[in-house]
Amino acid sequence: MPLHELAAAALSACAVWLTTRRNPWCYPVGLASVAVYLWVYLDARLYSEVLLQLFWIAMLITGWRRWLRHLDASGHVQIAALPAAAAWRHLLAGITGGLALGYLMHAYTNAALPWLDAMLTALSLVGQFWQNRRHIAAWWMWIAVDVVYVGMFTSKHLYVTAVLYAGFVALAVQGLRAWRRARPAA
């Protein structure tokens, strides 16, 4: 097992765990994990994942700033509602982006799993967008994409990362439950 993959997995798991706790420190820890995962995914020729890591940098910085503006008295981020119409627009944009990126990766690179990797990348961006905006729906997206990621990483022999993503599924379920309890009464 490559040491850099283990380090990336540990940092990433810590970041998600902090997110389940609505702790804004999830963002700087997430930035550290992204830096290491860039290297892991380049080695595996998962180019959409490399692009995703580059987007993560911008999204994590943006999310961190947004979360810091929406903390409750205890220092935890406040949950925000996601209107159904917006959710559908975001999903449509994610699917469209996934298809476009999949085509580009298939046509112009030697990407190992161009279509699957691209769709997971695009839907992960939707999940991060929702997380940055403090929506519970982000956890549903993470559960869905992480289950599929487990299979993709296993097929690429990235076993540490596959186990990490299996753990992410469990953490996403935990996050969903915790955020539901923390949401404001309607």
Side-chain angles (χ1 to χ4, degrees), residues 15-108:
V16 174
W17 179 79
L18 288 167
T19 305
T20 68
R21 306 253 177 300
R22 299 179 8 255
N23 186 320
W25 279 100
C26 64
Y27 285 97
V29 174
L31 284 166
S33 73
V34 164
V36 181
Y37 261 121
L38 275 168
W39 181 13
V40 171
Y41 294 140
L42 274 171
D43 285 348
R45 291 187 2 247
L46 292 171
Y47 302 132
S48 291
E49 293 306 312
V50 170
L51 288 175
L52 180 59
Q53 301 312 297
L54 296 174
F55 277 104
W56 279 157
I57 293 168
M59 291 190 82
L60 290 171
I61 292 169
T62 301
W64 193 11
R65 292 179 66 200
R66 178 179 286 269
W67 274 35
L68 290 175
R69 289 191 312 262
H70 295 93
L71 298 179
D72 63 19
S74 68
H76 295 94
V77 74
Q78 300 167 344
I79 307 300
L82 173 61
W88 285 110
R89 281 193 311 275
H90 302 158
L91 284 171
L92 180 60
I95 291 167
T96 302
L99 291 172
L101 181 59
Y103 171 77
L104 291 172
M105 291 295 156
H106 175 75
Y108 298 108

Side-chain angles (χ1 to χ4, degrees), residues 145-164:
V145 298
D146 291 347
V147 165
V148 180
Y149 268 128
V150 170
M152 183 180 81
F153 291 131
T154 299
S155 77
K156 291 301 297 172
H157 308 289
L158 295 172
Y159 299 117
V160 171
T161 302
V163 169
L164 171 68

